[in-house]
Amino acid sequence: MSGSALFRYRYRKDREYQWKNIKVVMDWTILFYIILTILFIGAMVYDTIPEIVEIISQLPFVLAILLIYLSLNNGSIRIFVESADSYFFIHRKDVPQSIKGFCICVSLVKNTVISILMGCVSFLLLETVEPGAFSFLPYIAFIVLIRLLLIIIGQLIDLRWKSWSNRLLSFAVFVLGGAFFYMALMSALGFFMNVTLLLMVAAAHYVYWKGDSFDFDVSENEKIKQKFVGMMFAMSEYVHIPKASKRTRPFLFRKSQRIFADRSPENALAELFFKYLLRNLRHVSSYLKIIGITIAVMTYMPLWMKFGLFIAFFFFMKEWLNIVYDELTAHPFLNLYKGKGILKEHFQDAVTRWLYYPALGIVGFVLLMNTLFHFLWKG
């Protein structure tokens, strides 16, 4: 089997595998609510386009450039190889190399299309902030090439360096790339700069294609494959995939001291819920992110949309806490208590309210302050 035929076969199998996972997780009700949400958000955005444009036009130019640069730091190159290929192609080393070449070309096309779309959106953003600052075609070419270069440099760093050296080099590339991105936009985006970036992108991809990266490609292919599966199953509240942690001791409540003196079943379950959520840094960061992002977005929205966002937060936070509670009660340790009344729905409301009401109070206070400032400023 040739490299091109094997590449097409594996690409088709991967699409079929991902489609099966989508059909398992998403039924017609989830799809229906997604479409309704998109239509609702689209209608709100369309109705508030003048306000959105006014808000964007007040952004500092440097902040707009920073946001664009942060959005460019994503993407990957996926090579469809598997660990068994090391034995199968022991006498056909040209086939894995051919597969790698086709995968790099497909990734280049995919990342180029995504980069063009990102470039168009960011060009409209900069035109709103600083009209007439850039020409369209040179700017789009620059965005595409700088993103492709950042992707392949990140791939080469992950291939050749591990642990702290990888983090250090990645941070250095991020800082130096940001400085170059800013200085390039401040200067004239000419033909010479884009040609230079094109040659750097071509050379870096050639080095990666010729390099011995089989083990790395196998590992990255599996990570991307499982990442897509995890994103799909994350849409379902009934599928819990716990995230592995290297921490051997909990961050909080290390000695597991009692929180409530009254040892009633409700307090015992509330204490268990507290410790389960607060000992898991993922849950703590998600809880704070939901509150923080809601407050940040609320600050820049028109007044009527602030109340709409607060209503959405009212339901979303409750649902998220219920999902965490369901993860806790699904633990095998609590199987002994199922059917004994302690895990019934009224206990769920009584337990989750300890974290639900503070979040609601914080966001409600911010909404109240925004409303007061709105009418005071208008008056």
Side-chain angles (χ1 to χ4, degrees):
M1 182 179 286
S2 65
S4 60
L6 187 57
F7 164 75
R8 290 194 300 270
Y9 172 77
R10 289 190 172 170
Y11 185 83
R12 186 179 70 253
K13 285 296 181 181
D14 181 74
R15 297 301 97 188
E16 292 174 356
Y17 173 74
Q18 303 296 353
W19 177 243
K20 288 179 182 178
N21 290 327
I22 291 174
K23 289 194 294 185
V24 169
V25 176
M26 292 183 61
D27 57 8
W28 70 270
T29 56
I30 295 177
L31 185 62
F32 176 72
Y33 283 117
I34 289 176
I35 294 174
L36 283 181
T37 303
I38 292 174
L39 292 175
F40 177 71
I41 295 176
M44 288 197 305
V45 171
Y46 178 79
D47 191 53
T48 57
I49 285 178
E51 290 84 352
I52 293 174
V53 171
E54 183 180 355
I55 292 171
I56 293 176
S57 64
Q58 296 175 358
L59 287 176
F61 187 64
V62 176
L63 179 59
I65 292 177
L66 177 61
L67 292 175
I68 294 170
Y69 178 69
L70 291 175
S71 67
L72 297 178
N73 279 270
N74 64 84
S76 61
I77 299 174
R78 185 178 181 183
I79 311 297
F80 290 94
V81 291
E82 300 173 358
S83 56
D85 294 345
S86 60
Y87 302 99
F88 185 67
F89 296 123
I90 192 169
H91 299 297
R92 291 289 308 276
K93 294 184 179 180
D94 59 308
V95 177
Q97 195 71 13
S98 177
I99 295 175
K100 188 176 181 180
F102 280 109
C103 292
I104 290 175
C105 292
V106 170
S107 296
L108 273 173
V109 173
K110 182 192 72 173
N111 290 325
T112 299
V113 172
I114 295 174
S115 301
I116 291 174
L117 296 176
M118 296 173 66
C120 294
V121 173
S122 61
F123 181 80
L124 293 176
L125 172 65
L126 291 178
E127 277 295 300
T128 305
V129 176
E130 192 75 21
F134 304 103
S135 299
F136 180 72
L137 290 180
Y139 175 81
I140 296 297
F142 175 74
I143 291 295
V144 170
L145 292 172
I146 198 70
R147 183 170 183 266
L148 294 178
L149 186 62
L150 289 172
I151 291 173
I152 189 60
I153 290 177
Q155 200 86 355
L156 291 172
I157 291 175
D158 291 338
L159 171 64
R160 301 186 181 277
W161 286 277
K162 306 296 180 184
S163 188
W164 63 269
S165 56
N166 180 286
R167 298 187 184 93
L168 186 62
L169 282 171
S170 298
F171 180 75
V173 169
F174 176 79
V175 174
L176 294 175
F180 172 77
F181 183 74
Y182 177 77
M183 289 187 294
L185 290 179
M186 290 297 100
S187 61
L189 293 178
F191 177 77
F192 176 75
M193 178 177 292
N194 285 334
V195 170
T196 304
L197 287 174
L198 178 62
L199 293 176
M200 292 173 65
V201 169
H205 279 83
Y206 181 80
V207 169
Y208 181 68
W209 178 51
K210 286 296 184 181
D212 183 13
S213 60
F214 180 79
D215 293 333
F216 172 77
D217 292 335
V218 170
S219 175
E220 288 299 306
N221 179 43
E222 190 64 25
K223 284 181 183 178
I224 295 174
K225 182 179 179 180
Q226 296 304 322
K227 179 183 71 173
F228 291 154
V229 174
M231 290 169 62
M232 294 171 190
F233 280 94
M235 298 175 64
S236 175
E237 62 179 279
Y238 303 105
V239 180
H240 172 46
I241 304 176
K243 187 177 181 180
S245 176
K246 297 180 181 179
R247 183 182 292 274
T248 57
R249 299 181 64 190
F251 185 72
L252 296 173
F253 305 109
R254 294 186 176 184
K255 297 182 180 180
S256 193
Q257 297 176 352
R258 293 182 177 180
I259 301 177
F260 301 103
D262 182 13
R263 308 306 293 170
S264 64
E266 179 183 328
N267 287 343
L269 194 59
E271 180 175 322
L272 187 63
F273 179 73
F274 278 146
K275 293 180 178 179
Y276 174 76
L277 189 143
L278 296 177
R279 281 176 170 176
N280 192 324
L281 188 60
R282 177 173 62 95
H283 290 326
V284 175
S285 62
S286 298
Y287 181 76
L288 296 177
K289 282 178 184 176
I290 294 172
I291 298 174
I293 293 174
T294 303
I295 292 174
V297 173
M298 184 180 289
T299 304
Y300 293 99
M301 278 185 166
L303 183 61
W304 70 270
M305 290 187 67
K306 296 179 193 291
F307 286 92
L309 181 62
F310 179 75
I311 294 173
F313 176 81
F314 180 87
F315 292 103
F316 184 81
M317 177 57 77
K318 182 64 175 176
E319 184 63 23
W320 182 80
L321 289 172
N322 287 338
I323 292 173
V324 177
Y325 179 87
D326 291 337
E327 292 179 8
L328 170 64
T329 55
H331 195 277
F333 173 76
L334 292 176
N335 285 336
L336 299 171
Y337 300 95
K338 287 187 176 179
K340 296 184 178 180
I342 189 173
L343 301 180
K344 290 184 178 178
E345 188 174 351
H346 69 277
F347 275 101
Q348 177 174 343
D349 295 333
V351 168
T352 55
R353 69 185 180 187
W354 290 96
L355 292 171
Y356 177 61
Y357 290 153
L360 207 61
I362 293 172
V363 177
F365 177 77
V366 173
L367 175 62
L368 177 62
M369 292 295 102
N370 276 282
T371 305
L372 290 175
F373 287 140
H374 174 81
F375 286 110
L376 288 174
W377 180 71
K378 284 235 172 182

